[in-house]
Amino acid sequence: MSQGARDHCFPSWRPAAVLLLLIGSEALFPWSSQSSLFERDPWSLEEAQRILDEIEIEVSLQQEQERLRRLSGDAFEEPSRGLSPKPWFQEMSERYGAPLQQHPQRYGLRLGRRLEAQALHENNTVPIRFHLNFDTLYEDKVQANPFTKDRYCFQEGAWFRVGYPEDPKPVGAGPDNCGDRASSYPTGNKWCICVANDVITEQMRSFAIEATTEAMKDMPTFIQVLPVEGTLKFRSWEGSFPAMWQKTRQTGVACDPDCQKGLHVVVPDSLCSEGLTNTDAVLSVSMPPPVPGVGGAGTFCSADQRGRPLHLIFQWHRRVSENQFSEFSTQELVRHWRGLVLHEAIHGLGFGSSLWRNSYHAGGERRQLVKQLEVTDQDGTKDFIYHFMRYTRTYEVAKDYFACEEDADWQGLPLMSWPVSGRDTHHETRILRDDVMSYGNGLEAVSAITLAALEDIGHYFANYSNAECRSEPKMELRSKI
């Protein structure tokens, strides 16, 4: 590989500050006081209803904005793997304002108030170790769980829940009141009928397991973490948002309840009673009835006492067609879907979440990782878009890549502003088309810039030597910035 090609893979610049990366914010957010950090009362039924209404209004506005933009002729180039909107749980939990810190763990380093003396570096971190949970892909396990029952489709013509309907499950063949499922996804609280494309077939389940398993083998080559000491274990309790779970009729104690109630995944009781050895995080995979245009969605629903994500969720929406199964080998399909799996897993690690907006120094001062700055697009349209700011790793790695030598000429790397359903949670496609965290139809590379964005969260140590190459010409992209 030529030096010119290598420059597209990983930065020549590696700040010494990475070796002094602060571990997190436990000093500011001790686990025992999490409930006092909420900006909105998690015990208030009225507040829970307001949040539900806000989310419904925002979804309607986003759909209308995107409809009007399509009608105007300003079409958006949809990525081949599909869109990746925020899951409902992330929209809800971010409105409450408190960082997730439900499950304290043990680590080799003493994590206390002297965080300024702690650091993440290659000698005290290990390649991240995942446990993959596919229980939500099996009908018997889904139907035996009160929080996941009738959420997924295993037979064409069966009924499934959208939202939180109060009326009982219908009997008979319908019809339902869910509209044209090929062009839109039903909203609100209702029962809908499973169509053929909703069904989790044995072939699709086996492929999802194989594709996820193969893609996730790459993740430890990119990211290292402070290892969990002993067993990774979750708590059984009511959950972080008691009023919301009451409002949505999901009461009761459960193992890792926010994940079961908020993202409807099956969590084995053994994760709370026995725990997992040699594990730093869990990735649970589900296959909800597909939303048209969406490839998948990813987030996390549980974190440790410092806010480091412990339970990641990958909602796999887009199905592999029968023609694709016939035309391509399993190995070819696994390679093709690698980008989707890694994209959503990286979201699960915290990419695009409130972790960027709620980061703190060891002394308790807020770290400004991202800031909204006014920009003017090529058509003259003005907008306020989040940028990675000076002194972040993302700022410096991107500055180095685009050869912006003067800070005065570089206001930081902008995040994506359109479409609105993925705003502020992805790289700007026109700048980083080949990056796995953009909406481009390029190489889907896990780039040094994406690794830097994960490091900026404060929980990860990146292996830049394994960053993957992009093919975009630097100077062409620099002119777009």
Side-chain angles (χ1 to χ4, degrees), residues 68-87:
L68 292 175
R69 187 155 181 168
R70 285 194 299 269
L71 290 175
S72 71
D74 188 8
F76 170 73
E77 180 187 358
E78 180 183 306
S80 60
R81 65 170 176 264
L83 304 179
S84 175
K86 277 186 182 182

Side-chain angles (χ1 to χ4, degrees), residues 221-241:
T221 68
F222 301 123
I223 291 294
Q224 296 187 190
V225 295
L226 194 67
V228 172
E229 198 173 66
T231 59
L232 172 67
K233 189 177 289 189
F234 296 88
R235 292 198 297 146
S236 291
W237 58 314
E238 287 276 357
S240 303
F241 311 99

Side-chain angles (χ1 to χ4, degrees), residues 223-454:
I223 291 294
Q224 296 187 190
V225 295
L226 194 67
V228 172
E229 198 173 66
T231 59
L232 172 67
K233 189 177 289 189
F234 296 88
R235 292 198 297 146
S236 291
W237 58 314
E238 287 276 357
S240 303
F241 311 99
M244 183 61 70
W245 303 147
Q246 182 178 345
K247 197 72 179 177
T248 55
R249 294 172 292 285
Q250 300 183 102
T251 57
V253 172
C255 179
D256 199 8
D258 293 330
C259 295
Q260 299 207 57
K261 299 177 182 183
L263 284 153
H264 306 127
V265 293
V266 176
V267 179
D269 289 339
S270 60
L271 268 62
C272 288
S273 58
E274 302 168 18
L276 299 164
T277 58
N278 301 313
T279 302
D280 301 304
V282 173
L283 174 69
S284 289
V285 181
S286 66
M287 298 193 77
V291 176
V294 171
T299 189
F300 67 96
C301 46
S302 291
D304 69 5
Q305 65 269 38
R306 299 170 296 110
R308 190 177 97 185
L310 294 178
H311 196 161
L312 290 58
I313 305 297
F314 169 25
Q315 297 176 329
W316 188 319
H317 282 259
R318 183 160 290 184
R319 305 297 197 254
V320 182
S321 69
E322 291 185 8
N323 289 339
Q324 289 172 324
F325 276 126
S326 300
E327 184 176 352
F328 300 100
S329 69
T330 300
Q331 291 73 22
E332 289 173 319
L333 289 172
V334 166
R335 287 195 296 270
H336 175 76
W337 290 88
R338 173 183 182 266
L340 174 67
V341 177
L342 292 181
H343 181 100
E344 304 306 347
I346 291 172
H347 275 315
L349 290 172
F351 189 105
S353 76
S354 60
L355 295 182
W356 285 334
R357 301 190 300 275
N358 293 284
S359 181
Y360 297 82
H361 291 289
E365 305 86 3
R366 183 180 290 272
R367 300 168 63 209
Q368 188 170 49
L369 302 181
V370 293
K371 181 180 180 181
Q372 285 185 315
L373 300 176
E374 186 178 27
V375 297
T376 303
D377 213 328
Q378 294 174 327
D379 61 359
T381 303
K382 293 185 182 294
D383 197 357
F384 285 88
I385 299 174
Y386 276 107
H387 290 64
F388 282 94
M389 300 306 295
R390 190 177 181 184
Y391 304 121
T392 63
R393 287 147 184 73
T394 310
Y395 176 99
E396 298 294 350
V397 171
K399 176 185 173 186
D400 177 67
Y401 176 77
F402 292 115
C404 296
E405 298 178 359
E406 299 296 331
D407 284 324
D409 298 329
W410 175 240
Q411 67 176 11
L413 183 74
L415 289 165
M416 187 182 76
S417 62
W418 186 264
V420 289
S421 58
R423 183 182 175 95
D424 304 329
T425 61
H426 298 88
H427 288 312
E428 169 56 56
T429 302
R430 291 172 293 178
I431 298 172
L432 294 172
R433 175 172 295 276
D434 275 347
D435 195 283
V436 72
M437 297 312 294
S438 81
Y439 270 179
N441 287 314
L443 297 177
E444 300 186 313
V446 181
S447 73
I449 295 176
T450 285
L451 295 182
L454 286 174

